[in-house]
Amino acid sequence: MKNLSCSLLLLAVLFAAVPAVWAQRVMERLNRGIVAIPNSDGSVYIGWRLLGTDPDDVAFNLYRSTNGGTAVRLNNAPLTTTTDFVDGQASRAADHSWFVRPVSAGREGPASESFTLKSGALANQYLSIPLQIPEGREVAGRSYTYAANDCSVGDLDGDGAYEVVVKWTPSNATLPPRTGMTGNTLYDAYKMDGTLMWRIDCGVNIRSGDAYNQFLVYDLDGDGKAEVTFKTGDGTLDGQGKPIGNPLADWRNQDPASNIYGKILQGPEYLTVFEGSTGKALDTKEYVPTRYPLDGWGGVGGNGGNDNTGGRPDRMTACVAYLDGRLPSVVMVRGWYGRTVLAAWDFRNGKLSQRWVFDSENATNPYSGQANHSVTVADFDQDGMDEVCVGAMTVDHNGKGLFTTGLRHGDALHASDLIPSRPGLEVFGVHENEESTVAFNTPGSAMFDGRTGEILWSNNPTVDVGRGVAADIDPNFPGAECWGAPGGTRRGDTGEVIYPQTPNSVNFAIWWDADPLRELLDKTTISKWNWNTRTTEVLFSPEGVISNNGTKSTPALSGDLLGDWREEVMFRTPDNRELRIYTTTIPARTRMHTLMHDPQYRLAVCWQNVAYNQPPHPGFFIGQDMKPAPRAKIIMPGAD
């Protein structure tokens, strides 16, 4: 009996030590995201979500109501193959509304929300969100204007539908090495019909630019409503017009002759969580780490340089990760080229509390100089809790270093099950080799194991590679293909060059047509790789919209925002008066649960806007000969 008691006690201790291994993640309670798009031939394409919590046997009935009349079922038998439908009988001379009902175990469930098209609706392949452009302002005697920049989505009010958070970037935004005053960064929240929910003004003590302004939209406390969080300063005005810190403080360097003119290298820095529905500041804590010492951020990444003018410490990324396997945490990252610090925070019961801090400290630390202009989050070691990969290094869920590859700083970063024949996840990235760091002889691109950091293959030592993509674009080879570094298109599993030709797009990837291969997104064009002719062919190129972030040419947002599992893309119009969400109208061949209920993919949409934007990837392989998508271990808010 004594031995039995000891065994039971040991089991209890073991289970208590790893409670999150079997935990279910609390994720947002989405509605069906139904959308109806008029086609040029007079038909209407309708798509809706299969949720991650739907039973395996679920089917759907689709209904249409005309001019407010009794709804009519459009399908003869419940729809099981896809979650889309083409309605060829909806006259444009009438108002129509569509909704679906799930069918499981022979019983029909409640109706979804409906989507309505008014009579005379144009055959536009997008949803329009009107924007309210901020008025131009003046700083240091020079005027500036605003452009809609990166966007994110979250269910801010708990109704199951996404709202959109828009970052407004001033025309004088800049990079940390450069001097000069910048205008204030602003954030707006909009409902899908264009209703402005709130506006937050970051104030004069937050400099504007890609490296500074990282924002996260996510349900941080599992209450069913998303919060918004980012770095703030004295005088930041929340969505209710209330200031954070000292509203009269101005920490900018005011001397035009100074080599730090316009920079903010003094004064407090904060991390604030805002209420998603109102923009109200809920809690503010001192930002970790501080920027000091200013010359303590150099190292072996990038060009290996250093400075004391704020060029290195004012390089930020950010993400959300499930560090306990159940509820999300915020992770703020400071430093790319040398010292890198990750600070993890929990938001519970209306308060921020620090979970841990990881600090690579100095150039002698093997984790120094390994961070990218981007970040990705996944359960790399498959223990039920997330790790944070910032490029050539990964930090475990407990704030300890998991591994570093030593491949140093880079730009593009892709993590997923890129090689389905191997267990777990892989990471593909490209790396900078320039100036003094060429001597390190590190590769221009490489594939490594996401759990151990083992380098599976690499190429082009000493070459400075700025862009690279990993996606399954050719059905004749297993898993993902990789390109960007000199040499051609490579196999993801071996690094072997398949052919010298490469797609003419080395930017974003998107699932758009009917097959599981991924398409290419660059500027405002969606194209497909023709593996027979080895050329890139345009599938979709809308007019009247533009991309963001200069030569980066990225969308305002891409992701599975509406309809079935395939992805949407969001662009702004040139006059900044409108966002347009484009969705495919190509009938699907298969169905899959919404990618937003895959934890890795959903977190990728959350961090997509940070620094050098990267496309989202799921935690499982989508492509030729893929296995059925795994069911994520998730629950809805309040389910436990």
Side-chain angles (χ1 to χ4, degrees):
M1 180 64 103
K2 181 178 179 181
N3 289 338
L4 177 60
S5 299
C6 290
S7 298
L8 291 174
L9 178 61
L10 178 60
L11 284 172
V13 170
L14 289 173
F15 274 85
V18 287
V21 174
W22 296 276
Q24 291 180 301
R25 300 178 181 218
V26 179
M27 295 189 70
E28 57 205 348
R29 189 188 306 275
L30 296 174
N31 62 19
R32 292 291 172 190
I34 190 166
V35 61
I37 301 293
N39 289 319
S40 57
D41 65 359
S43 66
V44 177
Y45 171 88
I46 302 103
W48 60 93
R49 293 185 180 114
L50 177 70
L51 303 175
T53 53
D54 280 329
D56 291 337
D57 70 342
V58 72
F60 294 92
N61 289 328
L62 174 65
Y63 293 84
R64 181 200 338 118
S65 171
T66 300
N67 291 328
T70 302
V72 177
R73 193 174 77 180
L74 302 183
N75 50 293
N76 294 324
L79 303 169
T80 59
T81 304
T82 69
T83 56
D84 69 349
F85 189 90
V86 176
D87 185 353
Q89 305 300 317
S91 168
R92 298 286 174 83
D95 296 346
H96 301 287
S97 296
W98 291 264
F99 62 89
V100 294
R101 290 181 181 270
V103 181
S104 181
R107 303 187 64 176
E108 192 175 59
S112 71
E113 78 285 2
S114 62
F115 190 98
T116 299
L117 286 177
K118 295 293 186 181
S119 63
L122 299 176
N124 292 326
Q125 201 172 327
Y126 61 84
L127 304 185
S128 173
I129 303 177
L131 300 178
Q132 297 186 27
I133 308 174
E135 292 185 4
R137 304 181 185 180
E138 185 178 286
V139 61
R142 296 185 177 182
S143 60
Y144 61 89
T145 57
Y146 280 101
N149 190 249
D150 296 327
C151 296
S152 194
V153 295
D155 183 4
L156 301 180
D157 55 11
D159 65 354
Y162 281 135
E163 284 77 40
V164 180
V165 176
V166 182
K167 178 173 72 175
W168 289 101
T169 298
S171 55
N172 55 9
T174 191
L175 294 172
R178 299 172 184 166
T179 60
M181 295 285 191
T182 70
N184 299 3
T185 296
L186 310 177
Y187 293 98
D188 284 359
Y190 293 91
K191 288 185 170 293
M192 286 291 182
D193 63 3
T195 300
L196 177 63
M197 300 174 69
W198 47 257
R199 172 168 290 168
I200 295 172
D201 186 334
C202 286
V204 300
N205 291 307
I206 294 293
R207 209 165 186 235
S208 294
D210 292 344
Y212 304 97
N213 309 130
Q214 323 304 344
F215 69 104
L216 303 170
V217 182
Y218 208 82
D219 180 6
L220 300 176
D221 55 5
D223 69 349
K225 298 181 180 180
E227 288 78 33
V228 180
T229 185
F230 48 83
K231 182 171 172 281
T232 57
D234 279 339
T236 295
L237 297 177
D238 74 3
Q240 304 297 302
K242 295 182 178 180
I244 293 167
N246 180 359
L248 302 179
D250 187 341
W251 297 102
R252 298 172 296 180
N253 182 284
Q254 306 281 349
D255 181 5
S258 172
N259 65 349
I260 57 171
Y261 173 57
K263 297 187 180 184
I264 305 161
L265 304 182
Q266 300 181 58
E269 301 172 284
Y270 309 115
L271 176 65
T272 301
V273 173
F274 300 90
E275 187 173 49
S277 58
T278 66
K280 175 185 176 182
L282 297 176
D283 195 30
T284 296
K285 291 290 191 293
E286 181 181 353
Y287 190 88
V288 176
T290 69
R291 56 176 76 91
Y292 309 112
L294 294 179
D295 62 354
W297 297 86
V300 295
N303 60 15
N306 199 5
D307 62 61
N308 61 3
T309 59
R312 298 291 179 168
D314 276 355
R315 304 276 185 161
M316 320 282 188
T317 56
C319 61
V320 168
Y322 285 79
L323 301 176
D324 68 0
R326 181 179 176 275
L327 287 174
S329 301
V330 173
V331 182
M332 307 303 288
V333 185
R334 186 169 215 154
W336 302 341
Y337 302 114
R339 180 188 176 199
T340 299
V341 182
L342 289 74
W345 299 84
D346 294 341
F347 181 71
R348 311 285 186 260
N349 301 313
K351 296 294 182 183
L352 277 165
S353 62
Q354 192 171 103
R355 176 176 281 266
W356 49 252
V357 176
F358 172 91
D359 191 340
S360 73
E361 297 176 343
N362 54 54
T364 64
N365 188 311
Y367 285 86
S368 179
Q370 309 302 316
N372 272 29
H373 294 291
S374 52
V375 63
T376 190
V377 176
D379 181 9
F380 286 109
D381 58 9
Q382 299 181 332
D383 63 356
M385 294 165 281
D386 286 330
E387 286 70 49
V388 180
C389 175
V390 298
M393 58 173 275
T394 295
V395 176
D396 206 349
H397 69 274
N398 58 8
K400 308 297 182 182
L402 186 65
F403 64 80
T404 173
T405 65
L407 297 179
R408 300 186 303 101
H409 167 83
D411 290 354
L413 185 64
H414 303 269
S416 186
D417 187 5
L418 302 174
I419 309 175
S421 60
R422 297 185 79 257
L425 306 173
E426 294 78 34
V427 182
F428 173 76
V430 300
H431 303 275
E432 291 185 4
N433 292 284
E434 55 185 355
E435 300 178 16
S436 63
T437 61
V438 172
F440 288 103
N441 204 41
T442 45
S445 71
M447 179 79 74
F448 62 86
D449 184 284
R451 181 179 64 86
T452 66
E454 175 192 0
I455 299 172
L456 305 179
W457 55 262
S458 64
N459 56 64
N460 291 291
T462 77
V463 176
D464 184 7
V465 181
R467 294 193 178 197
V469 179
D472 188 13
I473 59 171
D474 188 329
N476 298 303
F477 301 92
E481 287 72 50
C482 305
W483 66 100
T489 302
R490 300 176 186 272
R491 289 179 58 138
D493 54 353
T494 66
E496 173 191 358
V497 175
I498 299 170
Y499 29 68
Q501 300 88 349
T502 62
N504 62 11
S505 170
V506 193
N507 199 349
F508 265 53
I510 187 171
W511 282 289
W512 187 262
D513 66 8
D515 67 40
L517 300 176
R518 213 161 190 193
E519 284 67 60
L520 311 171
L521 171 60
D522 186 34
K523 299 182 176 66
T524 59
T525 296
I526 295 172
S527 55
K528 191 172 185 69
W529 178 244
N530 186 322
W531 53 88
N532 293 315
T533 63
R534 301 177 187 177
T535 57
T536 310
E537 300 175 352
V538 173
L539 290 183
F540 181 69
S541 187
E543 296 180 351
V545 290
I546 57 176
S547 58
N548 285 339
N549 301 314
T551 58
K552 298 292 185 282
S553 301
T554 51
L557 183 67
S558 75
D560 180 14
L561 309 179
L562 299 162
D564 74 358
W565 66 272
R566 293 170 298 172
E567 296 174 292
E568 282 69 45
V569 60
M570 185 185 300
F571 297 114
R572 63 184 170 106
T573 55
D575 61 5
N576 294 295
R577 296 185 181 279
E578 181 185 4
L579 288 175
R580 294 179 180 176
I581 303 176
Y582 289 88
T583 187
T584 186
T585 58
I586 300 171
R589 296 176 190 164
T590 60
R591 78 174 191 175
M592 198 182 308
H593 63 71
T594 173
L595 298 184
M596 297 298 253
H597 273 170
D598 175 72
Q600 180 178 327
Y601 184 92
R602 179 63 185 91
L603 295 175
V605 171
C606 180
W607 58 244
Q608 184 182 136
N609 69 79
V610 306
Y612 289 4
N613 308 30
Q614 299 289 286
H617 294 279
F620 59 95
F621 175 70
I622 299 178
Q624 185 70 19
D625 299 324
M626 65 177 288
K627 297 178 181 178
R631 178 180 288 276
K633 296 179 180 178
I634 63 173
I635 57 174
M636 300 297 97
D640 58 347

